[in-house]
Amino acid sequence: MKKIITSIVALTFSCAFTFANTVAFQTESYSGTITYNEEAKLGDAVFARMNMKINKSAKKKTNGDVQAVLQLYKENKKIDHAPFYFLNSKTKRQAMPDMLCGLPLSTWLNPEDEFSLKIIFSTGVGADQEVILPFDVTEKNFPEEVLELDSRNSGIKQNVSPERMAQIEKLNNILGTSIYTDIYNLKPFVKPVKSDRMTSNFGDRRTYKYTNGKSSTSLHYGNDYGVPEGTEVYACAEGKVVLAEFRISTGWSVVIEHLPGLYSLYYHMSELNCKEGDFVKPGEKIGLSGSTGLATGPHLHWEVRLNMAAVAPEFFMTDFAFLEVEKN
């Protein structure tokens, strides 16, 4: 394994939730840049975009099998990783690969720990290379709330029927799927409703109290918009509908795939206006809000999952794929 000596170029980009930094690297056979958000809050994500140019002489020697992986380290321990996927072609055989990768950040990380990123890649010319990048996780506060459930919602929350277990398994199988040629959206997400009123936020620590005196705790995986029943719900970004059905826990529900491993979820609706297999655009109506499933009142639960893990939806309302940086 060889380490590449990197240099920071002048190009930087900042926005509300991400700060992008671009690092350049070069060898005798190829050169390139890596753009990534060098810091993120608890529950956000880290994305890296890598552009490479393989020299003509090296291109003749390589089989074109470009591969790369992004790794997240806490101290000297690797805690997460994922492969890059190609944005400009469905084939690996290209002289100027453009690749993207994202990793979710748990809300339980300790910002006082030291974190770093490592990118390992191979072009088929010479040994694998690695680039180590500085990375900071910053603090974010998550409120605690207690929800006293009525008999209906207590029954839903404690339901262990084969039907509900099958629904959970089906959803997990979808969220755990990464099809690396499914590149539908790189643009910032838009709000799923025309309202700013939120009754609960991503990462809230919840305690559920049941009518039988028992209780349980969990993390709230999305943002709840407190909108009246029948409010129009819109797709937050371009993508493919991979689930549109009634579920015991979440009522009428929709899941949209946007990128490999990146999905948006919409729960508790009263009506659906899309079906599995549909391709949708940002702002396209997919249903109406409601209070189906486990809900204490009309609202829309909007959730974003990356590599199965729930991530703060607001992160994806920024230039997470560095489109503005690529223009410069």
Side-chain angles (χ1 to χ4, degrees), residues 44 48 58-59 85-86 96 105 130 230 234 240 255 266 271:
D44 282 356
K59 185 66 177 175
Y85 44 86
F86 295 90
M96 300 181 66
L105 300 176
E130 70 177 40
Y234 310 106
K240 180 181 179 181
V255 178
Y266 313 75
E271 178 183 309

Side-chain angles (χ1 to χ4, degrees), residues 6-12 21-25 34 36 38 132-134:
T6 63
S7 60
I8 306 296
V9 300
L11 178 62
T12 59
N21 195 24
T22 299
V23 175
F25 59 88
I34 299 168
Y36 74 107
E38 62 181 2
I132 298 177
L133 304 169

Side-chain angles (χ1 to χ4, degrees), residues 42-55:
L42 293 171
D44 282 356
V46 55
F47 268 75
R49 186 164 180 172
M50 183 160 65
N51 291 276
M52 298 179 61
K53 182 178 180 180
I54 303 175
N55 299 339

Side-chain angles (χ1 to χ4, degrees), residues 49-295:
R49 186 164 180 172
M50 183 160 65
N51 291 276
M52 298 179 61
K53 182 178 180 180
I54 303 175
N55 299 339
K56 287 184 179 180
S57 58
K59 185 66 177 175
K60 296 178 181 179
K61 302 176 183 178
T62 180
N63 57 13
D65 190 15
V66 178
Q67 298 180 6
V69 62
L70 175 64
Q71 300 177 341
L72 173 64
Y73 278 79
K74 183 180 72 172
E75 309 296 343
N76 295 317
K77 181 180 180 181
K78 182 175 69 176
I79 59 175
D80 202 359
H81 70 280
F84 281 78
Y85 44 86
F86 295 90
L87 299 179
N88 56 353
S89 177
K90 293 183 178 181
T91 176
K92 298 178 181 178
R93 295 181 178 277
Q94 45 191 311
M96 300 181 66
D98 182 12
M99 298 175 284
L100 185 70
C101 183
L103 293 175
L105 300 176
S106 170
T107 64
W108 302 107
L109 294 176
N110 184 355
E112 295 183 1
D113 290 332
E114 292 186 5
F115 296 91
S116 62
L117 301 171
K118 180 187 289 187
I119 296 177
I120 301 175
F121 60 96
S122 170
T123 62
V125 179
D128 291 354
Q129 307 286 346
E130 70 177 40
V131 177
I132 298 177
L133 304 169
F135 182 68
D136 288 325
V137 177
T138 60
E139 186 66 71
K140 183 179 181 179
N141 294 322
F142 300 100
E144 296 182 2
E145 60 179 348
V146 178
L147 296 179
E148 296 189 3
L149 304 182
D150 58 19
S151 58
R152 185 186 75 87
N153 284 324
S154 293
I156 292 174
K157 186 66 176 174
Q158 296 177 297
N159 186 329
V160 293
S161 67
E163 180 183 5
R164 182 168 180 256
M165 295 301 104
Q167 291 175 353
I168 292 173
E169 182 180 9
K170 178 180 179 180
L171 178 61
N172 286 338
N173 287 338
I174 290 173
L175 299 179
T177 299
S178 295
I179 302 175
Y180 295 108
T181 55
D182 286 357
I183 311 296
Y184 300 118
N185 178 82
L186 297 175
K187 297 179 181 179
F189 287 8
V190 299
K191 290 189 305 181
V193 293
K194 294 179 179 179
S195 174
D196 292 321
R197 180 176 180 265
M198 286 194 287
T199 56
S200 188
N201 299 92
F202 166 82
D204 289 355
R205 274 57 169 157
R206 283 184 166 181
T207 297
Y208 293 96
K209 290 189 174 182
Y210 309 128
T211 51
N212 62 5
K214 296 182 179 181
S215 65
S216 65
T217 59
S218 67
L219 189 75
H220 189 230
Y221 287 156
N223 289 337
D224 286 349
Y225 285 91
V227 293
E229 179 132 359
T231 300
E232 291 189 346
V233 176
Y234 310 106
C236 67
E238 187 170 357
K240 180 181 179 181
V241 177
V242 292
L243 184 145
E245 64 185 27
F246 186 88
R247 304 178 71 247
I248 294 172
S249 298
T250 59
W252 289 108
S253 307
V254 171
V255 178
I256 301 174
E257 179 192 21
H258 303 290
L259 286 172
L262 180 61
Y263 299 86
S264 61
L265 300 83
Y266 313 75
Y267 288 165
H268 309 300
M269 290 191 280
S270 60
E271 178 183 309
L272 301 187
N273 295 107
C274 63
K275 63 183 184 302
E276 184 177 331
D278 286 352
F279 290 90
V280 294
K281 300 290 185 180
E284 183 174 336
K285 180 181 174 182
I286 59 173
L288 301 176
S289 66
S291 56
T292 56
L294 199 164

